[in-house]
């Protein structure tokens, strides 16, 4: 085409026909490119945006948000520019080579950006899927982006130098130590992400507790190098991904998936209030429907045992007797077994712990049938509200260290 234009210019009696023809061809190439750009960016892309805004589906909006269409258009312009260069400028070696390299660089850059858009589109569409919850998808996508960018940089450098990419890759062997130092965190993060996913150690929305980093909340992001945790006070803690492999952390996912959350709390009984049940208290406690069967059967068992002994039962040292602490423990066990918010298929027991300076600890060890934090706390509070309220019925007192008011009452009684 350049020779044809040069011949026409020579026939018209113009000088410097070769330079003029070259300028005209370049102008034609840029004019076609600008016209194509105007059509694609001023007509087609706005039309696609209007269509996606009206769509009720997620994927058309994700296509626009990831800029896949826009970068595809730029790639198409690069392909068109390259075709025009090969078609119109093959007679001008230097200009042809320069513009061809420019077109190839253009295509390589926007091909890489298109890959980034496709990966972003994949991440957006799978954000709420089971795959995203099982795998650190964002970290994997960032790893793919990093590898693709490194390979593309190698290809661009090889294109500019006119060397084979294999030569550059071979030369990178000497720079391995430097690259590992520069990309230490991404490499460690990538390995940690693979280990976390392979061993199913951490997923999105897991309750993570890691006191060393001040983390106690839900995982909101797992990236190539970091894991973000939103604490229950709405502060956000960023933890290096490799720290989850090298250090210890607690994942509460098992509790959430089990359907029950543990209550493990003790009440401290004043040991001076522990004693045998007398007849009056026995009759009073038999009015409780949870205790009546136990007291009847236990009383018969104790009476039969004592009858076999044939000893003087006036002394509390002889024979067997029911105690208020033992009866209270049985009642509390029965009451919890009938509680509507206690998980009956998990461990349920009321046990004594070793006594100490704070009295006799009586521990409630049960699981609620919900893992919702607010509901769990309300259930736990209701249970212990009731326990503290019924203790005097059994003649028991809670151990409590003397307060300032207790000391003042002692002083008043001493003066009187």
């Amino acid at each position: 085409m350049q020779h044809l234009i040069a011949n026409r210019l020579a026939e018209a009696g113009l000088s410097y026909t070769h330079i003029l023809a070259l300028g005209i061809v370049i102008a034609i190439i840029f004019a076609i490119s600008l016209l194509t750009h105007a059509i694609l960016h001023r007509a087609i892309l706005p039309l696609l945006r209007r269509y996606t805004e009206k769509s009720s589906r997620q994927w058309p909006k994700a296509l626009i948000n990831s800029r896949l269409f826009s970068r595809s258009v730029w790639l198409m312009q690069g392909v068109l520019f390259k075709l025009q260069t090969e078609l119109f400028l093959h007679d001008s070696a230097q200009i042809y080579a320069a513009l061809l390299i420019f077109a190839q660089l253009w295509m390589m850059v926007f091909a890489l950006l298109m890959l980034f858009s496709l990966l972003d589109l994949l991440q957006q569409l799978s954000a709420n899927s089971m795959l995203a919850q099982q795998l650190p998808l964002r970290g994997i996508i960032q790893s793919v982006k990093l590898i693709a960018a490194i390979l593309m940089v190698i290809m661009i450098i090889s294109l500019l130098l006119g060397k084979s990419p294999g030569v550059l890759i071979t030369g990178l062997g000497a720079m391995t130590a430097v690259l590992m130092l520069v990309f230490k965190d991404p490499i460690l993060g990538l390995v940690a992400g693979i280990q976390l996913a392979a061993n199913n150690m951490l997923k999105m929305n897991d309750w993570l507790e890691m006191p060393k980093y001040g983390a106690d909340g839900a995982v909101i992001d797992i990236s190539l190098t970091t894991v973000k945790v939103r604490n229950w006070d709405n502060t956000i803690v960023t933890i290096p991904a490799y720290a989850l492999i090298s250090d210890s952390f607690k994942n509460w996912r098992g509790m959430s998936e089990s359907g029950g959350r543990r209550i493990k709390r003790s009440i401290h009984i004043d040991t001076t209030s522990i004693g045998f049940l007398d007849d009056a208290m026995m009759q009073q406690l038999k009015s409780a429907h949870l205790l009546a069967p136990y007291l009847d059967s236990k009383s018969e068992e104790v009476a039969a045992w004592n009858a076999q002994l044939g000893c003087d039962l006036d002394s509390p040292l002889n024979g067997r007797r029911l105690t208020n602490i033992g009866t209270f423990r049985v009642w509390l066990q029965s009451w919890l077994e009938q509680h509507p918010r206690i998980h009956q298929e998990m461990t349920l027991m009321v046990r004594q712990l070793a006594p100490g300076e704070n009295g006799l600890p009586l521990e409630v060890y049960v699981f609620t049938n919900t893992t919702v934090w607010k509901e769990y706390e309300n259930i736990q509070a209701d249970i212990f509200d009731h326990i503290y309220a019924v203790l005097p019925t059994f003649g028991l007192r809670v151990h409590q260290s003397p307060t300032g008011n207790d000391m003042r009452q002692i002083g008043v009684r001493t003066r009187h």
Side-chain angles (χ1 to χ4, degrees):
M1 183 176 181
Q2 184 180 349
H3 283 301
L4 180 62
I5 295 174
N7 292 335
R8 295 293 176 86
L9 293 175
E11 292 174 0
L14 297 175
S15 56
Y16 304 105
T17 55
H18 180 73
I19 297 176
L20 289 175
L22 179 61
I24 291 171
V25 171
I26 294 176
I28 291 172
I29 291 174
F30 279 98
I32 295 174
S33 299
L34 291 174
L35 179 61
T36 306
H37 177 84
I39 294 172
L40 293 174
H41 288 268
R42 302 297 180 185
I44 296 179
L45 282 180
L47 182 64
L48 290 173
R49 289 193 183 97
R50 286 194 295 269
Y51 168 75
T52 55
E53 288 174 357
K54 295 178 182 178
S55 177
S56 59
R57 298 182 179 180
Q58 181 183 4
W59 66 267
K61 296 178 181 178
L63 285 172
I64 293 297
N65 293 335
S66 64
R67 301 176 65 185
L68 181 61
F69 284 150
S70 175
R71 290 169 177 176
S72 300
V73 165
W74 281 105
L75 180 60
M76 291 171 57
Q77 292 178 245
V79 173
L80 178 62
F81 187 84
K82 181 176 181 292
L83 291 175
Q84 292 181 86
T85 302
E86 293 175 343
L87 183 62
F88 299 148
L89 288 174
H90 57 83
D91 295 330
S92 300
Q94 294 182 347
I95 299 297
Y96 170 78
L99 292 181
L100 192 62
I101 291 176
F102 173 74
Q104 290 174 341
L105 291 175
W106 183 340
M107 293 166 57
M108 292 167 69
V109 170
F110 282 100
L112 178 64
L113 294 177
M114 272 191 63
L115 175 62
F116 288 177
S117 296
L118 285 171
L119 293 173
D120 291 339
L121 177 64
L122 173 64
Q123 182 179 344
Q124 291 181 38
L125 294 178
S126 61
N128 298 322
S129 67
M130 290 298 297
L131 179 65
Q133 296 178 4
Q134 294 290 339
L135 298 175
L137 198 58
R138 184 177 177 188
I140 295 173
I141 288 175
Q142 288 179 337
S143 303
V144 175
K145 285 183 178 180
L146 179 61
I147 295 171
I150 293 173
L151 293 177
M152 189 59 69
V153 169
I154 293 174
M155 293 177 65
I156 289 173
I157 295 174
S158 66
L159 177 63
L160 293 174
L161 297 178
K163 301 289 185 180
S164 171
V167 176
L168 293 177
I169 294 175
T170 304
L172 287 177
M175 298 179 61
T176 302
V178 177
L179 290 175
M180 291 190 66
L181 181 62
V182 173
F183 296 106
K184 181 189 71 171
D185 289 341
I187 292 173
L188 291 174
L190 175 60
V191 174
I194 294 173
Q195 289 182 313
L196 290 172
N199 298 319
N200 196 22
M201 297 170 63
L202 192 67
K203 297 189 298 186
M204 292 291 292
N205 299 317
D206 279 356
W207 177 1
L208 173 69
E209 185 177 347
M210 203 170 184
K212 179 178 178 179
Y213 291 89
D216 185 14
V219 176
I220 60 174
D221 183 41
I222 303 176
S223 65
L224 179 60
T225 57
T226 59
V227 172
K228 289 185 180 179
V229 177
R230 183 184 296 277
N231 289 335
W232 303 126
D233 59 359
N234 286 328
T235 58
I236 295 178
V237 176
T238 302
I239 306 172
Y242 58 83
L244 297 172
I245 302 298
S246 59
D247 294 333
S248 174
F249 68 93
K250 182 186 290 186
N251 190 338
W252 290 80
R253 187 202 314 160
M255 179 273 294
S256 301
E257 294 177 349
S258 69
R261 186 170 178 182
R262 185 183 68 176
I263 295 176
K264 185 176 180 289
R265 182 183 290 184
S266 300
I267 51 174
H268 293 268
I269 305 297
D270 186 348
T271 53
T272 61
S273 65
I274 297 175
F276 296 122
L277 292 181
D278 54 24
D279 293 337
M281 184 171 290
M282 182 80 73
Q283 293 302 319
Q284 179 185 357
L285 293 178
K286 281 186 178 181
S287 61
H289 71 280
L290 293 178
L291 278 178
Y294 165 77
L295 291 175
D296 289 338
S297 63
K298 201 69 175 177
S299 297
E300 293 177 1
E301 177 186 338
V302 170
W305 178 271
N306 291 336
Q308 293 178 358
L309 294 178
C311 58
D312 182 11
L313 297 179
D314 292 336
S315 171
L317 301 178
N318 296 327
R320 291 173 57 188
R321 289 175 174 79
L322 297 181
T323 62
N324 56 356
I325 185 69
T327 305
F328 171 71
R329 181 167 47 83
V330 171
W331 170 84
L332 183 54
Q333 177 87 20
S334 302
W335 183 74
L336 291 172
E337 288 174 352
Q338 298 194 14
H339 198 288
R341 300 309 305 272
I342 296 300
H343 205 304
Q344 302 300 321
E345 296 181 1
M346 294 185 175
T347 304
L348 191 159
M349 64 178 177
V350 179
R351 62 174 182 168
Q352 286 188 19
L353 301 180
E357 66 274 8
N358 293 320
L360 175 65
L362 199 64
E363 184 182 77
V364 174
Y365 194 104
V366 295
F367 289 80
T368 62
N369 57 10
T370 178
T371 60
V372 180
W373 188 14
K374 185 176 180 180
E375 295 179 9
Y376 163 80
E377 292 294 346
N378 288 334
I379 294 169
Q380 183 173 232
D382 288 342
I383 288 174
F384 281 88
D385 289 346
H386 193 75
I387 291 173
Y388 283 115
V390 301
L391 274 177
T393 306
F394 292 87
L396 296 170
R397 294 188 302 273
V398 177
H399 180 277
Q400 180 174 292
S401 299
T403 65
N405 185 64
D406 295 330
M407 296 302 181
R408 284 193 294 271
Q409 294 298 326
I410 294 174
V412 170
R413 286 197 294 269
T414 301
R415 285 195 297 272
H416 289 287

